[in-house]
Amino acid sequence: MSMSKGSNTPVPTTALRVELGWSTGPGVPDADASALLLVGGKVRSDGDFVFYNQPAHTSGAVRHEGKQNVGGRVIDTLLVDLARVEPAVETVVLAASSDGGSFGQVPGLYIEVKDAAQGTVAARFDSAGATVETAFVLGEFYRRQGSWKFRAVGQGYSSGLEGLATDFGITVDEPQQAAPPAPVAPPVTAPPVPAPAVTAPPVTMPPPPAAPPAPPAAQPVRLTKVTLTKAAPSVSLTKQGGTSGAMRVNLNWEVRKQFSGWASKLGRPVAMHNDLDLDLCALYELTDGSKGVVQALGNAFGSLHQPPFIHLDGDDRTGAVTSGENLTVNLDHKQYFRRILVFVTIYEGARSFADLHATVTLQPQYGAPIDFSLDECTVPSTVCALALITNTGSDLVVQREARYLVPERGVSPQRTVDYAYGWGMNWTPGRK
């Protein structure tokens, strides 16, 4: 059902998919979905804020699943399981923030609530009339007499995600500015103080009881994220604070319909849906000189807790962010890495990357997410080098490659990317 601002409707107490959507195009800013779990109108701690840098609530009730681009429309998804929301939580706020512009430049912004299992729409609110706002509370789930309702809110903020978050009690990490030097006062000569006539004997007091150690201060939430471009193609993981824990590398893509053939009677092109299968892979070189590949082909899925400390989660054919193709890199063993090249190959379903819209996201466990889109493919390429991670000895650097390669006749995509980057491995045919 389509709702007006301020209206409400009951929703089932079950797992719900909350989709934030908008139309994309040249000059349209990116946007991000987020959620806040409130008690008395405020968060209990920064852990009640779910967004791209903190994608899951500890209760499991809310999870940020990520974005898809479907036919010129971007959808950013939250999964909200109302049955798992803690009893103390009264409200789950559903928000959006823009990146690179205001919502006045974002056409067709809406929020839609769906039953996660059935896919049926429980509520929808189309937000219109935005101007300079850079954050919006689009809707909220709230408890009423033992059940849950959804309210269409549409409250805008011109202070972005930071202003929205701090309004609900989130502590945001801000760059520290050096305090100005204090003015120096001229020296003051005090008159001498006469010594007392009688000196009292010293009194020995028992030491005061030791104060209990103060609890460690909570780390403020980091709102920053990094988008790599041709003009700014690299970033330091060390400077971003993302050199430990697990780093997930995700590839998602839009499976488009392609026109092939002609209808025999109508004389119009027929849309054929190809079962496109892309494989996310990684070439690695360790500091001991060992080299290898992590890929679905040949079941070379790697390992997270022993060399090569890289693991491929699975083999996906949909391109969805919720599953998709994911590599995980164990940055706790970064001292063993010399370089890692993340690349993608077409296993079947297409002869090139033409007309493919794909996005790469590197999400360190501690640090800002790094993402970039692939450029338009204009060559008959079946393999694309995505990102090169290099250990310089004092830093881990992520370099955007987005480089389409064209294999020579009889040469595999894997061997092609090996030649291009001088890995020097021996290749044999393999299959899934």
Side-chain angles (χ1 to χ4, degrees):
M1 60 173 293
S2 182
M3 304 175 63
S4 59
K5 183 176 179 178
S7 61
N8 63 76
T9 185
V11 290
T13 305
T14 183
L16 300 171
R17 291 183 65 84
V18 179
E19 296 183 352
L20 166 71
W22 68 95
S23 298
T24 188
V28 175
D30 194 17
D32 297 286
S34 58
L36 301 104
L37 288 76
L38 307 183
V39 177
K42 298 286 185 179
V43 297
R44 297 163 296 179
S45 71
D46 292 348
D48 284 341
F49 185 28
V50 177
F51 69 121
Y52 48 78
N53 269 3
Q54 196 165 264
H57 192 260
T58 53
S59 67
V62 183
R63 186 172 73 247
H64 179 242
E65 294 201 326
K67 295 175 185 172
Q68 287 181 281
N69 188 310
V70 182
R73 181 171 294 278
V74 181
I75 299 173
D76 198 7
T77 303
L78 296 162
L79 183 65
V80 181
D81 190 346
L82 294 176
R84 300 179 68 176
V85 175
E86 298 152 298
V89 175
E90 304 157 347
T91 310
V92 179
V93 167
L94 307 168
S97 57
S98 61
D99 183 14
S102 69
F103 276 108
Q105 303 166 271
V106 179
L109 179 68
Y110 71 90
I111 186 171
E112 196 166 68
V113 179
K114 296 181 178 180
D115 185 296
Q118 304 296 326
T120 53
V121 177
R124 178 185 172 109
F125 171 53
D126 292 272
S127 180
T131 56
V132 299
E133 296 88 350
T134 49
F136 262 102
V137 174
L138 292 174
E140 63 183 15
F141 296 118
Y142 65 99
R143 296 183 193 266
R144 181 60 54 89
Q145 298 178 347
S147 61
W148 284 95
K149 288 189 172 184
F150 172 80
R151 178 185 288 117
V153 178
Q155 177 185 351
Y157 292 74
S158 60
S159 50
L161 184 60
E162 180 178 347
L164 183 149
T166 54
D167 196 39
F168 288 104
I170 297 294
T171 304
V172 175
D173 185 13
E174 297 180 353
Q176 298 296 317
Q177 296 182 353
V184 179
V188 177
T189 304
V193 179
V198 179
T199 303
V203 178
T204 304
M205 299 294 291
Q219 294 297 315
V221 171
R222 298 185 60 175
L223 301 182
T224 55
K225 62 179 181 177
V226 179
T227 298
L228 300 182
T229 63
K230 287 182 178 179
S234 64
V235 64
S236 162
L237 285 178
T238 303
K239 292 180 181 178
Q240 292 294 323
T243 55
S244 62
M247 180 174 69
R248 190 183 74 163
V249 183
N250 173 266
L251 173 72
N252 71 87
W253 63 90
E254 178 188 348
V255 179
R256 297 181 176 177
K257 292 182 179 180
Q258 297 182 357
F259 290 97
S260 61
W262 292 81
S264 57
K265 294 182 179 180
L266 300 179
R268 293 197 298 265
V270 178
M272 305 295 292
H273 187 277
N274 290 335
D275 189 12
L276 179 63
D277 184 10
L278 303 184
D279 284 343
L280 188 63
C281 315
L283 285 170
Y284 62 84
E285 181 179 2
L286 304 183
T287 52
D288 64 0
S290 58
K291 301 174 183 178
V293 64
V294 175
Q295 60 178 3
L297 198 65
N299 295 321
F301 289 96
S303 176
L304 201 58
H305 301 293
Q306 60 186 18
F309 307 110
I310 305 168
H311 182 250
L312 177 65
D313 294 354
D315 183 26
D316 181 72
R317 288 171 177 257
T318 66
V321 179
T322 53
S323 54
E325 293 274 334
N326 296 287
L327 278 165
T328 305
V329 180
N330 190 344
L331 296 179
D332 288 336
H333 298 280
K334 59 182 177 293
Q335 70 272 19
Y336 293 100
F337 297 135
R338 181 170 293 164
R339 56 177 179 158
I340 302 168
L341 180 68
V342 181
F343 66 100
V344 59
T345 67
I346 297 176
Y347 184 70
E348 63 182 6
R351 287 177 291 182
S352 79
F353 286 104
D355 297 324
L356 177 72
H357 182 90
T359 302
V360 182
T361 303
L362 293 85
Q363 176 64 74
Q365 186 172 346
Y366 307 105
I370 302 163
D371 61 22
F372 60 89
S373 296
L374 296 185
D375 300 321
E376 182 179 354
C377 180
T378 58
V379 294
S381 169
T382 56
V383 57
C384 180
L386 300 176
L388 181 63
I389 305 169
T390 305
N391 187 347
T392 67
S394 59
D395 197 0
L396 279 179
V397 177
V398 176
Q399 172 81 24
R400 175 188 187 269
E401 296 294 311
R403 180 182 175 188
Y404 294 107
L405 301 170
V406 181
E408 297 180 2
R409 182 180 296 273
V411 177
S412 69
Q414 289 83 354
R415 185 172 298 191
T416 299
V417 76
D418 180 321
Y419 286 171
Y421 286 85
W423 233 264
M425 291 172 53
N426 295 319
W427 296 90
T428 57
R431 64 173 55 194
K432 299 183 187 180

